[in-house]
Amino acid sequence: MTKLVIEGLTKSFRDTLVLRGIDLTVEPGMLTAILGASGTGKTTLLRVIAGFEPADQGTVSLDGTVVDDGKRRLPPERRHIGYVPQDGALFPHLNVRANAAFSLPRRERRGPRADEILDLVGLAGLGHRFPHQLSGGQQQRVAIARALASRPGLVLLDEPFASLDAALRTTVRADVLSVLRSTGTTAILVTHDQDEALSAADYVAVMRDGLVTQADAPREIYECPADPWTATFVGTANLLPGQPAGDGTVRTVLGCHRLQRAPGRPGPPALSPAGLTVLIRPEQIRLIPPRPGASAALVSAARYYGHDALVTVRPEEPGGFGPGEAGLDGVLHVRITGSDVPAPGDRVGLEVHSPVMAWPAVPHPGRT
């Protein structure tokens, strides 16, 4: 198990600054997801960690040893890191066993380790086959086996499940993560899939424009995002304008709500001239029968998924929010369970049943 520490890491390609001062610590034995949209620098970060690209500034340390400080760097083959690219990059002219053994020293490639690791990833008995004779999921398992064969202290996975269909992706991901946990290997998973990051990782680092905007446990990332952008990136978010109502509460068009205290935040958010931006997740809202004094809305749409449904409603009292604040064109999203799903045009009541997050609002251009 390896501990990775990155401090002040920057990386440019010609005049384009890709990494703008990354700080990140990955604890031994943990699976950390690097979550971000395309073009945020995720793969570049992985390649600098692996040693394929040099850092411009900052440091990369493995177990307290600096392997890159922007001036000198340890070559990739001496970092004891396994790397799994998105497409697997198997050698088509080598069979499965030879592919799995490729990361081993030449003298060990005919030994038992390749068969052991193929058995571990669920490919026992397939060592004689060639990559074109395998399914996409099996090919990714071979790539994982090759990365783990030399018992690396750290494994880097660059969106390894992105090319698989949804059902296969879930199965292969679960199996691969089980192998990583059983070996106690420290791992970094790069992904743009929010569900994958939150469900699979012990720790999530959210990247935006070459920076880590927040790094924390998945639950903290989802329930206590650092800012409105992160809130919308890691899940469906209703963002409403609000005003402090005293005694740790905030008022929105949906009523008065208790404020959730984020870790490290000593008190409620400071009030700005524009008031507050309030986050209410879809599952925090209940649909109730319309009644006097309760917020009312009309159902615009309902999408049924079997295990739950996402209902889109338009409050009868808009409360001053508009496009980009509480969803598109002033609508709210409500997640419900069960089969009793309202139909478009139904009138419903809305009730928020748990504490909410809030930040000082940023004034809109031209708004006072």
Side-chain angles (χ1 to χ4, degrees):
M1 293 189 291
T2 295
K3 180 175 182 177
L4 169 70
V5 178
I6 300 170
E7 296 178 308
L9 182 64
T10 67
K11 177 63 181 176
S12 299
F13 295 100
R14 294 186 178 178
D15 296 329
T16 302
L17 184 60
V18 179
L19 303 179
R20 301 191 295 124
I22 297 288
D23 293 311
L24 179 66
T25 297
V26 177
E27 296 294 339
M30 292 185 66
L31 172 61
T32 296
I34 307 294
L35 174 64
S38 298
T40 57
K42 306 187 301 296
T43 295
T44 298
L45 174 60
L46 228 58
R47 290 180 61 82
V48 173
I49 295 170
F52 302 152
E53 299 286 351
D56 292 342
Q57 293 181 333
T59 59
V60 177
S61 301
L62 298 173
D63 285 336
T65 299
V66 175
V67 296
D68 194 340
D69 63 2
K71 299 176 182 177
R72 294 179 298 245
R73 64 187 178 115
L74 199 67
E77 63 273 15
R78 295 179 57 193
R79 296 193 185 191
H80 203 47
I81 291 176
Y83 190 89
V84 182
Q86 182 171 331
D87 59 1
L90 301 181
F91 299 109
H93 63 291
L94 298 180
N95 65 21
V96 166
R97 191 187 186 283
N99 267 284
F102 191 81
S103 64
L104 294 170
R106 189 176 298 273
R107 64 182 180 278
E108 297 180 23
R109 292 179 185 177
R110 295 185 180 276
R113 178 57 179 168
D115 294 315
E116 292 172 359
I117 199 66
L118 286 175
D119 183 40
L120 189 63
V121 299
L123 295 177
L126 300 182
H128 64 286
R129 294 190 182 181
F130 286 83
H132 72 272
Q133 297 174 309
L134 303 179
S135 68
Q138 289 173 326
Q139 290 179 18
Q140 284 302 92
R141 291 170 193 261
V142 177
I144 297 292
R146 183 177 60 191
L148 291 173
S150 62
R151 298 180 177 87
L154 173 65
V155 171
L156 309 177
L157 303 105
D158 190 1
E159 305 212 36
F161 316 115
S163 61
L164 306 178
D165 63 65
L168 186 59
R169 182 165 61 245
T170 300
T171 301
V172 174
R173 181 175 63 219
D175 291 345
V176 168
L177 297 182
S178 177
V179 169
L180 290 172
R181 296 190 192 285
S182 69
T183 58
T185 306
T186 309
I188 297 178
L189 169 68
V190 159
T191 181
H192 64 271
D193 186 324
Q194 295 89 344
D195 292 339
E196 182 171 84
L198 295 177
S199 63
D202 304 307
Y203 196 71
V204 177
V206 180
M207 280 190 68
R208 182 187 186 190
D209 297 332
L211 286 170
V212 172
T213 62
Q214 186 174 3
D216 214 326
R219 181 172 179 176
E220 297 299 328
I221 293 284
Y222 184 79
E223 295 183 358
C224 302
D227 51 45
W229 179 88
T230 305
T232 59
F233 186 70
V234 298
T236 305
N238 297 304
L239 298 178
L240 290 76
Q243 293 289 333
D247 195 26
T249 62
V250 62
R251 181 171 297 279
T252 72
V253 65
L254 299 183
C256 195
H257 325 293
R258 287 177 294 131
L259 276 171
Q260 179 167 308
R261 298 290 177 86
R265 182 181 293 173
L271 180 63
S272 76
L276 300 174
T277 295
V278 180
L279 166 66
I280 303 179
R281 294 289 188 190
E283 60 273 16
Q284 293 182 271
I285 305 176
R286 291 195 186 104
L287 297 184
I288 60 175
R291 65 186 183 204
S295 299
L298 292 178
V299 175
S300 301
R303 288 176 284 174
Y304 179 67
Y305 297 103
H307 47 76
D308 64 10
L310 192 65
V311 181
T312 303
V313 302
R314 187 180 299 276
E316 293 181 345
E317 296 182 16
F321 62 80
E325 290 180 322
L328 296 175
D329 299 323
V331 299
L332 299 172
H333 302 289
V334 183
R335 183 170 287 112
I336 63 173
T337 58
S339 58
D340 189 14
V341 181
D346 286 355
R347 188 170 184 267
V348 295
L350 306 175
E351 182 178 75
V352 178
H353 61 82
S354 57
V356 301
M357 281 288 294
W359 306 271
V362 176
H364 286 250
R367 181 180 295 180
T368 58

Coordinates of all heavy atoms in Angstrom, one line a residue, residues 235-306:
G235 N -24.8 15.7 -8.8 CA -26.1 15.2 -8.7 C -27.2 16.2 -9.1 O -26.8 17.4 -9.3
T236 N -28.4 15.8 -9.2 CA -29.5 16.7 -9.5 C -29.6 17.7 -8.4 O -29.7 17.2 -7.2 CB -30.8 16.0 -9.8 OG1 -30.6 15.0 -10.8 CG2 -31.9 16.9 -10.2
A237 N -29.7 19.0 -8.7 CA -29.8 20.0 -7.6 C -30.8 21.0 -7.9 O -30.9 21.5 -9.0 CB -28.4 20.7 -7.5
N238 N -31.6 21.3 -6.9 CA -32.5 22.5 -7.0 C -31.8 23.6 -6.2 O -31.5 23.5 -5.0 CB -33.8 22.2 -6.2 CG -34.6 21.1 -6.9 OD1 -34.9 21.1 -8.1 ND2 -34.9 20.0 -6.1
L239 N -31.5 24.7 -7.0 CA -30.9 25.9 -6.4 C -31.9 27.0 -6.3 O -32.4 27.5 -7.4 CB -29.6 26.3 -7.2 CG -28.5 25.3 -7.2 CD1 -27.4 25.8 -8.1 CD2 -28.0 24.9 -5.8
L240 N -32.2 27.5 -5.2 CA -33.2 28.5 -5.0 C -32.7 29.7 -4.3 O -31.8 29.6 -3.4 CB -34.4 28.0 -4.1 CG -35.3 26.9 -4.7 CD1 -34.7 25.6 -4.7 CD2 -36.6 26.9 -3.9
P241 N -33.2 30.9 -4.6 CA -32.8 32.1 -3.8 C -33.4 32.0 -2.4 O -34.5 31.5 -2.2 CB -33.3 33.2 -4.6 CG -34.4 32.7 -5.4 CD -34.1 31.2 -5.7
G242 N -32.7 32.5 -1.4 CA -33.2 32.5 -0.1 C -32.7 33.6 0.7 O -31.8 34.4 0.3
Q243 N -33.3 33.8 1.9 CA -32.9 34.9 2.8 C -32.9 34.2 4.2 O -33.7 33.4 4.6 CB -34.0 36.0 2.9 CG -34.0 36.8 1.6 CD -32.8 37.7 1.4 OE1 -32.2 38.1 2.3 NE2 -32.5 37.9 0.1
P244 N -31.9 34.6 5.1 CA -31.8 34.1 6.4 C -33.1 34.5 7.2 O -33.6 35.6 7.1 CB -30.6 34.9 7.0 CG -29.7 35.3 5.8 CD -30.7 35.6 4.7
A245 N -33.6 33.5 8.0 CA -34.8 33.7 8.7 C -34.5 33.7 10.2 O -35.5 33.8 11.0 CB -35.8 32.7 8.4
G246 N -33.2 33.7 10.6 CA -32.9 33.7 12.0 C -32.8 32.4 12.7 O -33.5 31.4 12.2
D247 N -32.0 32.2 13.7 CA -31.9 31.0 14.5 C -31.6 29.8 13.6 O -32.1 28.7 13.7 CB -33.2 30.7 15.2 CG -33.1 29.7 16.3 OD1 -31.9 29.6 16.8 OD2 -34.0 29.0 16.7
G248 N -30.6 30.0 12.7 CA -30.1 28.9 11.9 C -31.0 28.4 10.8 O -31.0 27.2 10.5
T249 N -31.9 29.3 10.3 CA -32.9 28.9 9.3 C -32.8 29.8 8.1 O -32.2 30.9 8.2 CB -34.3 28.9 9.8 OG1 -34.7 30.2 10.2 CG2 -34.5 28.0 11.0
V250 N -33.3 29.4 7.0 CA -33.4 30.1 5.8 C -34.7 30.0 5.2 O -35.4 28.9 5.3 CB -32.3 29.7 4.8 CG1 -32.5 28.2 4.4 CG2 -32.2 30.6 3.6
R251 N -35.2 31.1 4.5 CA -36.5 31.0 3.9 C -36.4 31.0 2.4 O -35.7 31.8 1.8 CB -37.4 32.2 4.4 CG -38.8 32.2 3.8 CD -39.7 33.3 4.4 NE -39.9 33.0 5.8 CZ -40.8 32.1 6.3 NH1 -41.5 31.4 5.5 NH2 -40.9 31.9 7.6
T252 N -37.2 30.1 1.7 CA -37.3 30.1 0.3 C -38.7 30.0 -0.1 O -39.6 30.1 0.8 CB -36.6 28.9 -0.3 OG1 -37.3 27.7 0.0 CG2 -35.1 28.7 0.2
V253 N -39.0 29.9 -1.4 CA -40.4 29.8 -1.8 C -41.1 28.5 -1.3 O -42.3 28.5 -1.2 CB -40.4 29.8 -3.4 CG1 -39.7 28.5 -3.9 CG2 -41.8 29.9 -3.9
L254 N -40.3 27.6 -0.8 CA -40.8 26.4 -0.2 C -41.0 26.4 1.3 O -41.4 25.4 1.9 CB -39.9 25.2 -0.6 CG -39.8 24.9 -2.1 CD1 -38.9 23.6 -2.3 CD2 -41.1 24.7 -2.8
G255 N -40.8 27.6 1.9 CA -41.0 27.7 3.3 C -39.7 28.0 4.0 O -38.7 28.5 3.5
C256 N -39.7 27.7 5.3 CA -38.5 28.0 6.2 C -37.8 26.7 6.5 O -38.5 25.7 6.9 CB -39.0 28.6 7.5 SG -37.7 29.4 8.5
H257 N -36.5 26.6 6.3 CA -35.8 25.4 6.5 C -34.6 25.6 7.4 O -34.0 26.6 7.5 CB -35.2 24.9 5.1 CG -36.1 25.2 3.9 ND1 -37.3 24.7 3.8 CD2 -35.9 26.1 2.9 CE1 -37.9 25.1 2.7 NE2 -37.1 26.0 2.1
R258 N -34.3 24.5 8.1 CA -33.1 24.5 8.9 C -31.8 24.4 8.0 O -31.8 23.8 7.0 CB -33.1 23.3 9.9 CG -34.0 23.4 11.0 CD -34.0 22.1 11.9 NE -34.5 21.0 11.1 CZ -34.0 19.8 11.1 NH1 -32.8 19.6 11.7 NH2 -34.5 18.8 10.4
L259 N -30.8 25.1 8.4 CA -29.5 25.1 7.7 C -28.6 24.0 8.2 O -28.4 23.8 9.4 CB -28.8 26.4 7.8 CG -29.2 27.6 6.9 CD1 -28.6 28.9 7.4 CD2 -28.8 27.3 5.5
Q260 N -28.0 23.3 7.2 CA -27.1 22.3 7.5 C -25.7 22.9 7.7 O -25.3 23.7 6.9 CB -27.1 21.2 6.4 CG -26.1 20.1 6.7 CD -26.3 18.9 5.7 OE1 -27.4 18.4 5.6 NE2 -25.3 18.5 5.0
R261 N -25.0 22.5 8.7 CA -23.6 23.0 9.0 C -22.6 22.2 8.3 O -22.5 21.0 8.5 CB -23.3 23.1 10.5 CG -24.3 24.0 11.3 CD -24.0 25.5 10.9 NE -24.9 26.3 11.6 CZ -24.8 26.8 12.9 NH1 -23.7 26.4 13.5 NH2 -25.6 27.6 13.4
A262 N -21.9 22.7 7.3 CA -20.9 22.0 6.6 C -19.7 21.8 7.5 O -19.4 22.6 8.3 CB -20.5 22.7 5.3
P263 N -19.0 20.6 7.3 CA -17.7 20.4 8.1 C -16.8 21.6 7.9 O -16.5 22.0 6.8 CB -17.2 19.1 7.5 CG -18.4 18.4 6.9 CD -19.3 19.5 6.4
G264 N -16.2 22.1 9.1 CA -15.3 23.2 9.0 C -15.9 24.5 8.9 O -15.2 25.5 9.0
R265 N -17.2 24.6 8.8 CA -17.9 25.9 8.7 C -18.4 26.2 10.1 O -19.3 25.5 10.6 CB -19.1 25.8 7.7 CG -19.8 27.2 7.5 CD -20.9 27.1 6.5 NE -20.4 26.8 5.2 CZ -21.2 26.6 4.1 NH1 -22.5 26.5 4.3 NH2 -20.7 26.4 2.9
P266 N -18.0 27.3 10.7 CA -18.3 27.5 12.1 C -19.8 28.0 12.3 O -20.3 27.8 13.4 CB -17.4 28.6 12.5 CG -17.0 29.3 11.2 CD -17.0 28.2 10.2
G267 N -20.4 28.5 11.3 CA -21.7 29.1 11.5 C -22.4 29.2 10.1 O -22.0 28.7 9.1
P268 N -23.6 29.8 10.1 CA -24.3 30.0 8.9 C -23.6 30.8 7.9 O -22.7 31.6 8.2 CB -25.6 30.7 9.3 CG -25.3 31.4 10.6 CD -24.3 30.5 11.3
P269 N -23.9 30.7 6.6 CA -23.2 31.5 5.6 C -23.5 33.0 5.7 O -24.5 33.4 6.2 CB -23.8 31.0 4.3 CG -25.1 30.4 4.6 CD -24.9 29.9 6.0
A270 N -22.5 33.8 5.3 CA -22.6 35.2 5.4 C -23.6 35.7 4.4 O -23.7 35.1 3.3 CB -21.3 35.9 5.2
L271 N -24.4 36.7 4.7 CA -25.4 37.3 3.8 C -24.7 38.2 2.9 O -23.9 39.0 3.2 CB -26.5 38.0 4.6 CG -27.6 38.6 3.8 CD1 -28.4 37.6 3.1 CD2 -28.5 39.5 4.7
S272 N -25.0 38.0 1.6 CA -24.5 38.9 0.5 C -25.7 39.8 0.1 O -26.9 39.6 0.5 CB -24.0 38.1 -0.6 OG -25.1 37.6 -1.4
P273 N -25.4 40.9 -0.6 CA -26.5 41.8 -1.1 C -27.5 41.0 -1.9 O -28.7 41.4 -2.0 CB -25.8 42.8 -2.0 CG -24.4 42.9 -1.4 CD -24.1 41.5 -1.0
A274 N -27.1 39.9 -2.5 CA -28.1 39.1 -3.3 C -28.8 38.1 -2.5 O -29.5 37.3 -3.0 CB -27.3 38.5 -4.5
G275 N -28.5 38.0 -1.2 CA -29.1 37.0 -0.4 C -28.3 35.7 -0.4 O -27.1 35.7 -0.4
L276 N -29.0 34.5 -0.4 CA -28.4 33.2 -0.3 C -28.8 32.4 -1.5 O -29.9 32.6 -2.1 CB -28.8 32.5 0.9 CG -28.4 33.2 2.3 CD1 -29.0 32.4 3.4 CD2 -26.9 33.3 2.4
T277 N -27.9 31.5 -1.9 CA -28.3 30.4 -2.8 C -28.5 29.1 -2.0 O -27.5 28.7 -1.3 CB -27.2 30.2 -3.9 OG1 -27.2 31.4 -4.7 CG2 -27.6 29.0 -4.8
V278 N -29.6 28.5 -2.1 CA -30.0 27.4 -1.2 C -30.1 26.1 -2.1 O -30.7 26.1 -3.2 CB -31.3 27.6 -0.5 CG1 -31.7 26.5 0.4 CG2 -31.3 28.9 0.3
L279 N -29.4 25.1 -1.6 CA -29.4 23.8 -2.3 C -30.5 22.9 -1.6 O -30.4 22.6 -0.4 CB -28.1 23.1 -2.2 CG -28.0 21.6 -2.5 CD1 -28.4 21.4 -4.0 CD2 -26.7 21.0 -2.2
I280 N -31.4 22.4 -2.4 CA -32.3 21.3 -1.9 C -32.3 20.2 -2.9 O -32.7 20.4 -4.1 CB -33.8 21.9 -1.8 CG1 -33.8 23.1 -0.9 CG2 -34.7 20.8 -1.3 CD1 -35.2 23.8 -0.7
R281 N -31.8 19.0 -2.5 CA -31.8 17.9 -3.3 C -33.2 17.3 -3.6 O -34.1 17.5 -2.8 CB -30.9 16.8 -2.7 CG -29.5 17.1 -2.5 CD -28.7 17.1 -3.9 NE -27.3 17.3 -3.7 CZ -26.5 17.5 -4.7 NH1 -26.9 17.6 -5.9 NH2 -25.2 17.6 -4.5
P282 N -33.4 16.7 -4.8 CA -34.7 16.2 -5.1 C -35.3 15.3 -4.0 O -36.6 15.3 -3.8 CB -34.5 15.4 -6.4 CG -33.4 16.1 -7.0 CD -32.5 16.5 -5.9
E283 N -34.5 14.4 -3.4 CA -35.0 13.5 -2.4 C -35.4 14.2 -1.0 O -35.9 13.6 -0.1 CB -34.1 12.4 -2.2 CG -32.7 12.8 -1.7 CD -31.7 13.1 -2.8 OE1 -32.2 13.3 -3.9 OE2 -30.5 13.2 -2.5
Q284 N -35.0 15.5 -0.9 CA -35.3 16.2 0.3 C -36.8 16.8 0.3 O -37.2 17.3 1.3 CB -34.3 17.4 0.5 CG -32.9 16.9 0.9 CD -32.0 18.1 1.1 OE1 -31.4 18.6 0.2 NE2 -32.0 18.6 2.4
I285 N -37.4 16.7 -0.9 CA -38.7 17.2 -1.0 C -39.8 16.1 -1.1 O -39.6 15.1 -1.8 CB -38.9 18.1 -2.3 CG1 -37.8 19.1 -2.4 CG2 -40.2 18.7 -2.4 CD1 -37.8 19.9 -3.7
R286 N -40.8 16.3 -0.3 CA -42.0 15.3 -0.3 C -43.1 15.9 -1.1 O -43.4 17.1 -1.0 CB -42.4 15.0 1.1 CG -41.5 14.2 1.9 CD -42.2 13.6 3.2 NE -41.3 12.9 4.1 CZ -40.9 13.4 5.2 NH1 -41.3 14.6 5.6 NH2 -40.1 12.8 6.0
L287 N -43.8 15.1 -1.8 CA -45.1 15.5 -2.4 C -46.2 15.1 -1.5 O -46.3 14.0 -1.0 CB -45.3 14.7 -3.8 CG -44.3 15.0 -4.9 CD1 -44.7 14.3 -6.1 CD2 -44.1 16.5 -5.1
I288 N -47.0 16.1 -1.1 CA -48.1 15.9 -0.2 C -49.4 16.5 -0.9 O -49.3 17.2 -1.8 CB -47.8 16.7 1.1 CG1 -47.7 18.2 0.9 CG2 -46.6 16.1 1.8 CD1 -47.5 19.0 2.2
P289 N -50.6 16.1 -0.3 CA -51.8 16.7 -0.9 C -51.8 18.2 -0.7 O -51.3 18.7 0.4 CB -52.9 16.0 -0.1 CG -52.3 14.8 0.5 CD -50.8 15.1 0.7
P290 N -52.3 19.0 -1.6 CA -52.4 20.4 -1.5 C -53.2 20.8 -0.2 O -54.2 20.2 0.1 CB -53.0 20.9 -2.7 CG -52.9 19.8 -3.7 CD -52.8 18.5 -2.9
R291 N -52.7 21.7 0.5 CA -53.4 22.2 1.7 C -53.1 23.6 2.0 O -52.0 24.1 1.6 CB -53.0 21.3 2.9 CG -51.6 21.4 3.4 CD -51.2 20.4 4.5 NE -49.8 20.7 4.9 CZ -49.1 19.7 5.5 NH1 -49.6 18.5 5.6 NH2 -47.9 20.0 5.9
P292 N -54.0 24.3 2.7 CA -53.7 25.7 3.0 C -52.4 25.9 3.8 O -52.1 25.2 4.7 CB -54.9 26.1 3.9 CG -56.0 25.2 3.5 CD -55.3 23.9 3.2
G293 N -51.6 26.9 3.4 CA -50.4 27.2 4.0 C -49.2 26.5 3.5 O -48.0 26.8 3.9
A294 N -49.4 25.4 2.7 CA -48.3 24.7 2.2 C -47.9 25.2 0.8 O -48.8 25.7 0.0 CB -48.6 23.2 2.1
S295 N -46.7 25.0 0.3 CA -46.3 25.4 -1.0 C -47.0 24.5 -2.0 O -47.1 23.2 -1.8 CB -44.8 25.3 -1.2 OG -44.1 26.1 -0.3
A296 N -47.5 25.0 -3.1 CA -48.2 24.2 -4.1 C -47.5 24.4 -5.4 O -46.9 25.3 -5.7 CB -49.7 24.7 -4.2
A297 N -47.7 23.3 -6.2 CA -47.1 23.3 -7.5 C -47.9 22.4 -8.5 O -48.7 21.6 -8.1 CB -45.6 22.7 -7.4
L298 N -47.6 22.6 -9.8 CA -48.2 21.8 -10.8 C -47.2 20.9 -11.4 O -46.0 21.3 -11.6 CB -48.8 22.7 -11.9 CG -50.0 23.5 -11.6 CD1 -50.5 24.4 -12.7 CD2 -51.2 22.6 -11.1
V299 N -47.5 19.6 -11.6 CA -46.6 18.7 -12.1 C -46.4 18.9 -13.6 O -47.4 19.0 -14.4 CB -47.1 17.2 -11.9 CG1 -46.2 16.2 -12.6 CG2 -47.2 16.9 -10.4
S300 N -45.2 19.1 -14.0 CA -44.8 19.3 -15.5 C -44.5 18.0 -16.2 O -44.9 17.8 -17.3 CB -43.7 20.2 -15.6 OG -43.9 21.5 -15.0
A301 N -43.8 17.1 -15.5 CA -43.4 15.8 -16.1 C -43.1 14.8 -15.0 O -42.8 15.2 -13.8 CB -42.2 16.0 -17.0
A302 N -43.1 13.6 -15.3 CA -42.7 12.5 -14.4 C -42.0 11.4 -15.1 O -42.5 10.9 -16.1 CB -43.9 12.0 -13.6
R303 N -40.8 11.0 -14.7 CA -40.1 9.9 -15.3 C -40.0 8.8 -14.3 O -39.4 8.9 -13.2 CB -38.7 10.4 -15.7 CG -38.7 11.3 -16.9 CD -37.3 11.9 -17.3 NE -36.9 12.9 -16.3 CZ -35.7 13.5 -16.3 NH1 -34.8 13.1 -17.1 NH2 -35.5 14.5 -15.4
Y304 N -40.5 7.6 -14.7 CA -40.6 6.5 -13.8 C -39.4 5.5 -14.1 O -39.2 5.2 -15.2 CB -41.9 5.8 -14.0 CG -42.1 4.5 -13.1 CD1 -42.2 4.6 -11.8 CD2 -42.2 3.3 -13.8 CE1 -42.4 3.5 -11.0 CE2 -42.3 2.1 -13.0 CZ -42.4 2.2 -11.6 OH -42.6 1.1 -10.8
Y305 N -38.7 5.2 -13.1 CA -37.5 4.3 -13.3 C -37.7 2.9 -12.6 O -36.7 2.1 -12.6 CB -36.2 5.0 -12.7 CG -35.9 6.3 -13.4 CD1 -36.2 7.5 -12.8 CD2 -35.3 6.2 -14.7 CE1 -35.8 8.7 -13.5 CE2 -35.0 7.4 -15.3 CZ -35.2 8.6 -14.7 OH -34.9 9.8 -15.4
G306 N -38.8 2.6 -12.0 CA -39.0 1.4 -11.4 C -38.7 1.5 -9.9 O -39.6 1.4 -9.0

